[in-house]
Amino acid sequence: MTMYHVQSAGLGGQLHEIVAHTYVQDSNGLRFIGDDGVTVAIFTSFEFMKVVKPAEPTPTE
């Protein structure tokens, strides 16, 4: 999993932190894909997106 920062579009856009396996940008906007191909976030418009770092693995018991 990788951590991404996405700045929402518009005046006063918020910075969102998203953890996902990958992303796709197409006619539907910017989509972040998590476990099992599930879409975890969709942005139809945004100011910027950047890859921050690989997310920390969660310990398994």
Side-chain angles (χ1 to χ4, degrees), residues 18-35:
I18 298 155
V19 177
H21 282 293
T22 190
Y23 65 92
V24 176
Q25 186 173 6
D26 58 17
S27 61
N28 295 320
L30 179 64
R31 295 182 291 138
F32 291 90
I33 312 299
D35 291 332

Side-chain angles (χ1 to χ4, degrees), residues 12-52:
Q14 297 180 359
L15 183 65
H16 301 271
E17 189 172 274
I18 298 155
V19 177
H21 282 293
T22 190
Y23 65 92
V24 176
Q25 186 173 6
D26 58 17
S27 61
N28 295 320
L30 179 64
R31 295 182 291 138
F32 291 90
I33 312 299
D35 291 332
D36 299 325
V38 175
T39 300
V40 295
I42 299 174
F43 292 87
T44 55
S45 61
F46 60 97
E47 295 292 326
F48 70 84
M49 181 275 290
K50 72 177 182 176
V51 177
V52 179

